[in-house]
Amino acid sequence: MTCRICGSEKLYQFLSLGTMPIPNGFLSNPHEKEVWYPLGVCVCQDCWLVQLTHIIPPGIMFKNYLYIPSTSSTMTQHFKSLAEDAIMRFNLTSKDLVVDIGSNDGTLLGYFKEHEVKILGIDPATNLVTIANLKGIETKDAYFTREYAIKVREEKGRAKVITATNVLAHVNDLDDLCEGVKELLDKDGVFICECPYLIDLLDRNEFDTIYHEHLSYFSLYPLIRLFKKHGMTIFDIQKLSVHGGSVRVYVKFKAQQSKRLTEFLGMEKIRKLDKLSTYEEFGRRVKVIKRDLNNYLKRLKLQDKKIVGYGASAKGNVLLNYCKIDTKLLDYIVDSISYKQGKFTPGTHIPIYPERRLLKDQPDYVLLLAWNFADEILKKQIKYRERGGQFIITIPYLRTE
Ligand code: DWN
């Protein structure tokens, strides 16, 4: 195996999460046959990109995709501000085209459309493309490749802005994606790319965001190397709180590096992202979290406490499988998304019910599996908490609220 950005063979594995089914592989019945895949991460000792040790064919994970950001007000607010910020900053008008790579259900593009900007979505998930087109967001059912970018340019012209939010980490051929951006982007255009940030993953022990869909875990240094390889330059960066901590990088063909970017690079040096010990320490912390969470839940069960889960998320399924938490510890999981209700979690086979079950049953404890929406969910479930119900939150450290 070689590094997906610089081609180096100097890859050092620092954490294995065992084997488990794909994290969005929800089951209609618990006896369905599942394929279990190895899950682990390594770091490249040349460009310091953290990346998966085993790659699954994208079609297995992305043709029918169950993640829809518009189900959370946190994310809809986030996309609204991204669109408004880009329109202001880059003076977008009704003459300009914005293309969103991995456009999902069209939530982000909908906010550009509200300002009369021309839009186009590109996404390989047929189920989401149908939803987006029904909403009036023109979306093509395709993977974004160099070849497809040329086809779009011939049909629609060059894009003033190309966006990719929570996409880069899912892409196997990063070089082909960058070449596609180059083919489609206007010479003065901007590529705006958001991805979870490695320092937050390490600092907040977010090991459950390591899963088969996420092939890469980015810090700024390898990202700069990636775009430089393709004649593009990151000129600015913004820190974001979404998805446990992310960064938004701004890329052009030619531009001055902002002061903020220089400060970020300095910070990464201070945080020793170029030292193996940083990753070995993270691996050790993850094992402690697994031990402490298991001991805690088992103690509660010995006290006859009723425990359920909240948020049937991909990250939640990683945590459940890695920590071997199944129906012996959690009676069920509640989730707001209708197509997950009535299904079972991959690997651990825990039934999923609508959120309203929580107030009906009033279990003693709720293990929050969608900790990235903690504020939103704890606010929503104030009644459950006022009755004495407690949320168990694992990230960044184990606590009850
Ligand atoms: O990279 C990815 C990130 C962006 O999101 C994707 N590969 C997959 C996805 O990961 P995820 O499944 O962990 O996504 P969410 O959106 O963090 O999952 C949250 C889950 O919680 C959803 O199933 C919906 C549920 N939820 C709920 O039941 N009540 C969410 C909210 C806000 C609620 O109030």
Side-chain angles (χ1 to χ4, degrees), residues 24 26-29 32 66 71 309-313 317 332-346 350-358 380-381:
N24 274 314
F26 293 96
L27 306 172
S28 300
N29 87 65
E32 270 177 51
L66 297 183
T71 54
Y310 201 120
S313 57
N317 291 324
Y332 55 81
I333 293 169
V334 295
D335 193 287
S336 61
I337 297 185
S338 54
Y339 53 73
K340 291 184 183 179
Q341 295 158 7
K343 288 200 167 57
F344 298 81
T345 53
I350 301 172
I352 302 165
Y353 298 122
E355 289 172 303
R356 60 177 177 277
R357 176 92 182 233
L358 198 66
K380 181 192 265 190
Q381 298 301 341

Side-chain angles (χ1 to χ4, degrees), residues 147-213:
E147 189 187 351
Y148 197 79
I150 293 169
K151 188 167 173 287
V152 169
R153 186 186 67 210
E154 284 162 0
E155 189 190 328
K156 301 276 185 185
R158 286 182 175 273
K160 195 69 182 288
V161 166
I162 297 176
T163 50
T165 61
N166 269 299
V167 171
L168 218 59
H170 300 69
V171 172
N172 197 7
D173 190 339
L174 291 167
D175 292 320
D176 189 52
L177 179 131
C178 289
E179 285 302 308
V181 169
K182 272 175 76 174
E183 294 291 351
L184 183 55
L185 192 64
D186 182 277
K187 64 178 177 27
D188 296 325
V190 183
F191 177 41
I192 304 174
C193 173
E194 285 184 4
C195 41
Y197 187 43
L198 179 65
I199 287 191
D200 291 302
L201 190 158
L202 298 172
D203 279 357
R204 295 165 46 87
N205 304 316
E206 295 170 356
F207 70 90
D208 53 356
T209 61
I210 295 170
Y211 45 85
H212 305 102
E213 292 179 13

Side-chain angles (χ1 to χ4, degrees), residues 195-330:
C195 41
Y197 187 43
L198 179 65
I199 287 191
D200 291 302
L201 190 158
L202 298 172
D203 279 357
R204 295 165 46 87
N205 304 316
E206 295 170 356
F207 70 90
D208 53 356
T209 61
I210 295 170
Y211 45 85
H212 305 102
E213 292 179 13
H214 297 163
L215 283 62
S216 308
Y217 302 82
F218 291 110
S219 56
L220 183 56
Y221 181 69
L223 273 175
I224 289 176
R225 288 222 9 197
L226 170 66
F227 290 114
K228 199 168 171 193
K229 258 173 81 176
H230 298 275
M232 294 186 277
T233 179
I234 298 178
F235 66 92
D236 198 8
I237 186 168
Q238 249 176 300
K239 190 73 183 61
L240 306 166
S241 60
V242 290
H243 294 302
S246 301
V247 285
R248 180 184 296 160
V249 292
Y250 296 86
V251 183
K252 285 183 84 124
F253 290 115
K254 278 198 176 36
Q256 282 298 321
Q257 181 170 307
S258 72
K259 187 166 164 292
R260 222 169 9 188
L261 200 82
T262 313
E263 286 162 1
F264 248 83
L265 279 171
M267 184 261 293
E268 292 193 348
K269 198 86 189 126
I270 294 166
R271 298 303 310 276
K272 301 196 173 79
L273 291 188
D274 57 352
K275 297 278 180 276
L276 289 180
S277 55
T278 303
Y279 305 96
E280 290 165 336
E281 282 152 27
F282 171 73
R284 279 194 288 275
R285 289 199 300 276
V286 170
K287 292 186 177 77
V288 169
I289 291 171
K290 173 180 178 177
R291 182 201 64 201
D292 291 353
L293 178 60
N294 265 293
N295 291 342
Y296 181 56
L297 296 178
K298 284 174 185 158
R299 237 187 358 262
L300 292 177
K301 288 312 277 182
L302 285 173
Q303 297 162 19
D304 283 335
K305 299 297 182 189
K306 191 174 171 56
I307 316 170
V308 304
Y310 201 120
S313 57
K315 59 177 80 66
N317 291 324
V318 170
L319 181 130
L320 295 173
N321 277 295
Y322 174 58
C323 297
K324 306 254 182 292
I325 298 169
D326 56 20
T327 47
K328 287 194 276 308
L329 291 171
L330 296 190

